[in-house]
Amino acid sequence: MSTSQFRPEIQGLRAIAVFMVAVFHVWPFLIPGGYVGVDVFFVISGYLITGVLVREAEATGKINIPAFYLRRARRLLPTAMLVLLVVGALTPLCLPASQWVDGMAEMALSAVQLENWRLAAKSVDYLARDSAPSPVQHYWSLSIEEQFYVVWPGLIIAGLSASRLFRLSWRAMLLALFGTVIIVSLLPRCG
């Protein structure tokens, strides 16, 4: 079952988001808020993935999680792993020996989509100009996207299961679930 449809307006927004981030990295003074393109990209990905999952549930009454993850892996992993292999091969040639161990640790965590947690644990400021970035520091965003792919289908499946259990409309249950997630995400953080 094909669950994807080409949407030129969405692909155009994605292109603008990527362009903003790229320009920001090269010439930050041209688009000072260009990093917001990452957020735009996340929202678009969330919208598209939610649509894929909901359409599958609507058509089949369930979500085939292994097939979902296989599609994600086929789309994202080949290029991501190729980049990690090239960076790994070039690390001894381009970085001082004092950065090899840390660089290899970051590559390993990037390979399993956990680079964002390592950077958070090290209190890395992605925009800091006074520290040398890791060659795979940008994998933080792919890590977040992949972690979303782990959590979000589970929430949708939980909503579908709850709708069956309580004999409620699955659409109403998903809207309530999505609304709850949005509200919780907007609550002020303690600490």
Side-chain angles (χ1 to χ4, degrees):
M1 170 177 101
S2 174
T3 55
S4 65
Q5 301 169 337
F6 182 76
R7 303 271 311 265
E9 69 281 8
I10 290 177
Q11 297 310 321
L13 283 174
R14 276 182 161 176
I16 291 168
V18 169
F19 176 77
M20 288 172 58
V21 172
V23 170
F24 175 75
H25 276 78
V26 178
W27 301 291
F29 56 89
L30 287 179
I31 305 179
Y35 55 84
V36 172
V38 175
D39 295 338
V40 171
F41 201 88
F42 283 157
V43 169
I44 292 168
S45 292
Y47 170 79
L48 292 172
I49 289 303
T50 300
V52 165
L53 294 169
V54 168
R55 282 190 301 277
E56 181 176 352
E58 194 171 52
T60 67
K62 61 185 171 103
I63 295 173
N64 184 338
I65 290 293
F68 171 77
Y69 289 133
L70 185 60
R71 287 190 305 267
R72 301 282 70 75
R74 283 183 181 153
R75 187 176 139 272
L76 298 171
L77 290 183
T79 304
M81 293 304 123
L82 176 63
V83 169
L84 289 175
L85 288 171
V86 170
V87 170
L90 293 176
T91 291
L93 302 173
C94 299
L95 291 179
S98 62
Q99 294 181 13
W100 292 357
V101 171
D102 197 47
M104 293 300 175
E106 287 197 22
M107 281 181 259
L109 287 167
S110 294
V112 294
Q113 313 306 324
L114 295 173
E115 173 66 356
N116 61 317
W117 290 103
R118 175 159 175 99
L119 296 174
K122 291 172 51 179
S123 299
V124 171
D125 179 355
Y126 188 82
L127 301 176
R129 304 234 186 264
D130 58 345
S131 62
S134 155
V136 294
Q137 185 169 312
H138 59 285
Y139 270 71
W140 72 268
S141 60
L142 183 59
S143 296
I144 289 173
E145 187 172 353
E146 293 300 316
Q147 291 160 25
F148 173 81
Y149 294 156
V150 170
V151 173
W152 199 241
L155 286 174
I156 292 175
I157 290 170
L160 293 171
S161 298
S163 72
R164 288 187 191 113
L165 180 66
F166 298 113
R167 299 179 198 267
L168 299 170
S169 159
W170 67 272
R171 285 184 178 270
M173 183 61 76
L174 288 181
L175 283 174
L177 176 70
F178 296 162
T180 301
V181 169
I182 290 168
I183 290 168
V184 169
S185 74
L186 296 174
L187 291 175
R189 302 292 184 263
C190 296

